[in-house]
Amino acid sequence: MTSRRTMLLAVVICAASAAVAAAPGPPSIVVLSPLVDLGSVRPSVDGIAAPEPRSAPIPLLIQSSSPWSLTATLESNSAATQLLPDGDRIEIRPAGRVWTRLQLSLPIPLASGGETGPAGDSIPLEVRVISTLDSPPGSRHVRIRFAIASDSNTGFADVSYAVPVVTQLNDDLTPFVSPRVNPARPGLYPYEIRTYQVVSNVPWVVEATLSAPAIAQASAATLPQNTLVITNETGVAQPLVPNEPVAIASGGASGQQPRSVQLRLAVKVDDAVLPAGDYSGQLSLSIRPAASSGSGTEAAVRR
Amino acid sequence: MASPLAALGLLVSPTQLGLVGKPGQIVSGTLHVSSSKSEENHISLAISDFTRNEDGQVVEILDSKLQPRSCKGWIDVDRSDFVSPAVGSVDVTVSARIPADATGSYWALVALASQPPARDLRGQGVAIRLIPRVAIPIVVTVEGTTKPAVAIIETRAVRADKGVDVYSTIENTGNTAVLISAAFSLERRSTGGGEAEELAGTTVGPLTSLPGTRMKAKGHLEYDGSLAGVQAHAYLRYGPDAADSTEAVAVIEDRPPVRQDSAVNGTSPSAAHPVKR
């Protein structure tokens, strides 16, 4: 009996001391740094090591007189929130723990604890954004809602970042060498077809430019104009004139799936005199965002 | 994702490098060069001048005097001849020493070319060897001195297959290189004084626009309804502020676009009216 009374007394004392130590009122969250700017977030591209995603701290202060559980949700109904592109992933974690992807309207549990005392518990969170080529370029503003216990105890952090334009051409620095050409036999003498890979998060165009006239190694003679041509898939030849870019192909944003582009070069021999010799020149290939919203390849179209 | 990219060639990133600094400062950025082909590439770098033509294409300029906003003389690279290893990448630091009196944006081209292999082309007839080259535009902008300004010189809208093609000629009238995002739309005017109804829209860009240059942008708007009372709108945004924008409206023509020359000169009777925003 005595032991039972002692036990009961101990329970009462514990409860009383807990009541004295606990913070009064409902649990609360204070977001100490509610504005987060992650700057430019470059999409990861295969073949180039993606930089470590930049993260930023979001320190929280939680006060609760009872055990608590903290969740985070991407807000969908705030003016500060845009619908996120599929290629963007926003991740959060308590510092040093495993990253967890935030979901739209789906609370993700982040941390839990017991009563905090009047000073509250500091919860150091970190947020980061990972972007892929499936994301169009542009500025983004998203809101993260933190909650404990119920929806009435919430805090918010507004996260901003920008996805830059990414256009990438996988180039090949192996020299183009033409077949031996008989200047007395008119016709097209094709180079080996070369295939390139393009990835881009915007519509793009790939262009080839002959940097300067090709020069004969022995005589320093210049290659006659219009000797080099780019042929499209239907066999139509466009002359490659020094310093005049020729569009090889164009297309819409590739996302993460590379698009193949073929370069078909040829030497064109006609009635014009083609002095004998071995010529050498430089050919630039470049990619840039297209100035047209039209989609699809316009092979070998002079622009 | 395993990518076919890993099986071929050379990668240079980014494809355009922007540097920003104050007058008198040295600013720098990095080009990442990697051989994704399992072989070494001997690469040499050269710096030259360029401009962009109306199609946005990079055109080299051999005489620097013809490029008043050349920064070729300011640019330095930390390596001009190097081997891109079979595995991994090489970082090339591009730095620019900005003169104290510089204002706005300046630009030049860094070109990476493979060094020709010692290969003999001997034989009968003619052979032509072309050394591939990768050209990266470098744009240096002087902080605190920028005056971005873009004008729509003309907008034309022409009925086309399955919709309307809208063409805008844009001029960079400021001193600063900008990225232009263009939006084209078809709108039907409200008869009751309410808001216009947007029938179709598309976006183009972002496009690099250099001071003193003109460029053309084209949008295809898919729409198969009646075009009665419908106008084409071109809207350009070239900076973070709402003021960094301009807009034009054009009536829709039935005939195909006229020659480029007259379009640029604004001689068409249906030339657009720029809208002040």
Side-chain angles (χ1 to χ4, degrees):
Chain A
M1 186 69 182
T2 309
S3 66
R4 192 177 277 185
R5 189 180 288 169
T6 309
M7 279 176 63
L8 186 60
L9 183 63
V11 169
V12 170
I13 289 170
C14 282
S17 58
V20 168
S28 68
I29 300 176
V30 178
V31 182
L32 299 173
S33 299
L35 297 177
V36 179
D37 186 357
L38 287 167
S40 179
V41 176
R42 187 177 168 78
S44 56
V45 179
D46 285 336
I48 295 269
E52 183 68 18
R54 192 185 306 166
S55 61
I58 305 181
L60 301 187
L61 185 67
I62 292 178
Q63 289 176 311
S64 178
S65 58
S66 57
W68 53 269
S69 178
L70 172 69
T71 62
T73 314
L74 272 185
E75 278 281 282
S76 62
N77 58 354
S78 159
T81 303
Q82 303 165 331
L83 201 57
L84 272 188
D86 289 340
D88 286 6
R89 199 166 74 226
I90 299 181
E91 297 183 335
I92 198 164
R93 68 175 182 181
R97 303 277 182 80
V98 176
W99 291 103
T100 304
R101 181 176 186 173
L102 282 172
Q103 305 282 350
L104 209 59
S105 303
L106 178 65
I108 301 294
L110 286 181
S112 58
E115 60 188 59
T116 63
D121 279 353
S122 171
I123 311 293
L125 297 178
E126 293 174 329
V127 66
R128 72 177 184 181
V129 176
I130 294 172
S131 183
T132 69
L133 283 165
D134 290 329
S135 276
S139 299
R140 318 259 201 273
H141 306 281
V142 296
R143 171 166 281 188
I144 302 172
R145 180 167 59 104
F146 300 101
I148 54 173
S150 71
D151 279 346
S152 61
N153 302 297
T154 55
F156 297 95
D158 289 323
V159 179
S160 303
Y161 61 97
V163 175
V165 174
V166 175
T167 51
Q168 184 175 293
L169 175 70
N170 151 250
D171 218 321
D172 186 343
L173 291 190
T174 310
F176 297 89
V177 180
S178 74
R180 301 303 306 188
V181 170
N182 182 351
R185 185 176 295 167
L188 278 180
Y189 295 78
Y191 286 73
E192 195 174 312
I193 295 171
R194 196 167 287 190
T195 303
Y196 297 85
Q197 305 288 335
V198 166
V199 289
S200 174
N201 61 357
V202 292
W204 51 271
V205 57
V206 170
E207 292 158 343
T209 311
L210 186 64
S211 302
I215 305 287
Q217 292 168 341
S219 64
T222 58
L223 189 70
Q225 195 96 306
N226 301 338
T227 304
L228 289 168
V229 295
I230 286 182
T231 55
N232 68 16
E233 289 167 352
T234 58
V236 175
Q238 306 274 335
L240 197 53
V241 177
N243 210 16
E244 286 191 16
V246 174
I248 298 170
S250 61
S254 69
Q256 296 185 77
Q257 193 59 47
R259 161 87 188 275
S260 291
V261 169
Q262 288 196 327
L263 176 59
R264 297 163 183 259
L265 265 176
V267 180
K268 183 183 177 191
V269 176
D270 53 20
D271 296 337
V273 175
L274 177 56
D278 288 336
Y279 294 82
S280 189
Q282 288 192 327
L283 184 74
S284 289
L285 258 92
S286 61
I287 182 170
R288 63 181 174 85
S292 166
S293 69
S295 59
T297 294
E298 303 165 45
V301 176
R302 182 169 292 283
R303 295 167 64 94
Chain B
M1 184 183 74
S3 164
L5 283 175
L8 294 164
L10 180 101
L11 298 170
V12 182
S13 174
T15 48
Q16 177 168 287
L17 182 63
L19 303 174
V20 179
K22 292 179 177 159
Q25 270 188 339
I26 297 175
V27 291
S28 63
T30 304
L31 297 177
H32 305 283
V33 182
S34 62
S35 306
S36 50
K37 206 175 195 172
S38 296
E39 65 180 33
E40 294 181 344
N41 284 304
H42 278 79
I43 294 172
S44 60
L45 266 74
I47 303 171
S48 60
D49 284 309
F50 80 99
T51 186
R52 284 189 185 271
N53 63 17
E54 286 199 345
D55 291 319
Q57 297 170 321
V58 168
V59 177
E60 284 192 63
I61 297 175
L62 300 179
D63 184 354
S64 285
K65 290 174 195 158
L66 300 177
Q67 210 295 67
R69 288 196 163 267
S70 168
C71 61
K72 180 181 164 187
W74 315 353
I75 288 184
D76 199 10
V77 290
D78 66 342
R79 57 189 81 206
S80 55
D81 288 283
F82 62 95
V83 174
S84 171
V87 177
S89 67
V90 172
D91 285 353
V92 177
T93 302
V94 179
S95 55
R97 183 185 297 271
I98 302 175
D101 59 349
T103 56
S105 297
Y106 300 79
W107 52 94
L109 202 63
V110 169
L112 298 83
S114 62
Q115 291 175 358
R119 192 166 157 187
D120 203 340
L121 293 177
R122 270 182 300 182
Q124 294 294 313
V126 170
I128 304 167
R129 178 170 57 189
L130 296 172
I131 308 301
R133 190 169 177 262
V134 180
I136 309 292
I138 311 291
V139 179
V140 181
T141 297
V142 187
E143 201 177 338
T145 67
T146 58
K147 289 178 185 163
V150 168
I152 298 176
I153 302 301
E154 183 184 51
T155 295
R156 300 173 62 83
V158 180
R159 192 190 294 261
D161 254 5
K162 297 176 186 170
V164 173
D165 286 336
V166 186
Y167 307 81
S168 279
T169 302
I170 303 159
E171 183 169 344
N172 186 325
T173 54
N175 71 352
T176 308
V178 293
L179 286 175
I180 297 176
S181 293
F184 297 106
S185 65
L186 292 181
E187 295 180 15
R188 174 169 283 126
R189 284 166 291 182
S190 163
T191 50
E195 280 195 2
E197 178 191 7
E198 182 171 318
L199 305 170
T202 189
T203 58
V204 174
L207 310 168
T208 302
S209 169
L210 302 172
T213 66
R214 282 186 178 187
M215 67 187 313
K216 289 179 291 190
K218 176 193 164 192
H220 176 71
L221 296 159
E222 286 196 11
Y223 181 66
D224 58 4
S226 164
L227 290 175
V230 175
Q231 291 180 322
H233 288 243
Y235 175 71
L236 306 183
R237 186 77 182 256
Y238 54 92
D241 300 328
D244 298 332
S245 62
T246 183
E247 187 175 11
V249 181
V251 295
I252 298 167
E253 305 167 41
D254 265 332
R255 54 195 169 78
V258 294
R259 280 182 57 239
Q260 198 177 81
D261 295 350
S262 59
V264 169
N265 293 333
T267 54
S268 160
S270 56
H273 312 289
V275 174
K276 257 208 153 19
R277 293 179 70 85

